[in-house]
Amino acid sequence: KTKNESKEVFFLKEKTENLLHKLTALIQENHKGKDLERYFAKVFTQIPNVIDVDENGFGWKSDNGADLIVTTSASVSNIQLENTIVVQIKSYTGEHRDLGAVEQIERAIKKFDAQAGMIITTATRTEALEKKIEEISQKIDTPIELIAGEDVAKFIIKYDKEQNLIFDLNY
């Protein structure tokens, strides 16, 4: 509890964090492997300025480190700009200790000439994971975003306007 925070606000924040943790756990339990990738593809299509989401690597071919290839668009006057974001998605529990996702996203950024990378994991972030992401991001001079643990639930709440999650969880 911070100095200026009331007891009520503190307890509400604590309860909200617990709910976010539970929602992320439900997402992970109900979306294993490729199912989680397909679900996130649906969510990304609902984000403003996303014009295409390619579910990459389904079937026999390698995904080259990108589960999703997201194309965004922005315009300045009559100039249309497109950016590519590669996304690596992991359906894990506990703490995210596997640093392979960072190597995969580095490979994907290079392969698809992406302007940014994103790692989404249902596991909680670790210092080692954050450090590896920062190291690779600086090395290749490309931003890499980490969405982990409770941030996954926040991302879903913010962008799943069609509420696919409710249907996917069979409520």
Side-chain angles (χ1 to χ4, degrees):
K1 180 175 141 176
T2 62
K3 187 178 181 182
N4 295 329
E5 196 172 54
S6 72
K7 192 185 299 185
E8 293 80 14
V9 170
F10 174 74
F11 286 117
L12 181 60
K13 208 188 300 184
E14 190 175 43
K15 287 185 183 300
T16 302
E17 287 172 5
N18 194 16
L19 285 173
L20 292 171
H21 176 76
K22 286 179 181 177
L23 180 56
T24 299
L26 277 171
I27 292 166
Q28 192 280 328
E29 288 170 19
N30 289 280
H31 299 83
K32 302 292 185 188
K34 292 292 181 195
D35 288 340
L36 187 62
E37 295 169 21
R38 286 184 187 99
Y39 172 64
F40 269 98
K42 288 180 196 175
V43 174
F44 271 97
T45 62
Q46 299 173 66
I47 297 174
N49 300 322
V50 169
I51 58 171
D52 187 49
V53 178
D54 181 17
E55 296 179 32
N56 187 46
F58 289 84
W60 58 270
K61 62 181 182 166
S62 167
D63 65 11
N64 290 298
D67 294 321
L68 302 177
I69 303 168
V70 178
T71 306
T72 63
S73 178
S75 59
V76 177
S77 188
N78 291 324
I79 301 170
Q80 192 70 23
L81 304 168
E82 288 188 4
N83 288 304
T84 301
I85 303 167
V86 288
V87 184
Q88 180 57 233
I89 301 170
K90 299 295 184 188
S91 179
Y92 290 167
T93 58
E95 292 183 337
H96 191 115
R97 302 215 171 270
D98 175 19
L99 302 182
V102 186
E103 293 160 4
Q104 290 173 318
I105 207 70
E106 177 185 15
R107 187 170 64 244
I109 288 168
K110 291 175 182 175
K111 169 76 178 169
F112 298 103
D113 195 28
Q115 286 71 48
M118 183 179 284
I119 298 171
I120 299 174
T121 175
T122 52
T124 57
R125 61 183 65 230
T126 60
E127 193 175 317
L129 180 62
E130 289 175 331
K131 185 177 178 187
K132 184 74 172 175
I133 288 170
E134 185 178 330
E135 172 189 312
I136 296 300
S137 180
Q138 287 178 359
K139 179 180 118 181
I140 62 176
D141 194 30
T142 305
I144 300 172
E145 177 76 18
L146 174 63
I147 297 175
E150 293 160 3
D151 291 337
V152 171
K154 290 176 185 176
F155 186 88
I156 296 307
I157 290 166
K158 183 173 182 176
Y159 293 115
D160 189 0
K161 306 293 187 225
E162 295 175 8
Q163 298 181 343
N164 292 304
L165 179 65
I166 292 169
F167 301 112
D168 287 352
L169 294 178
N170 299 313
Y171 283 114

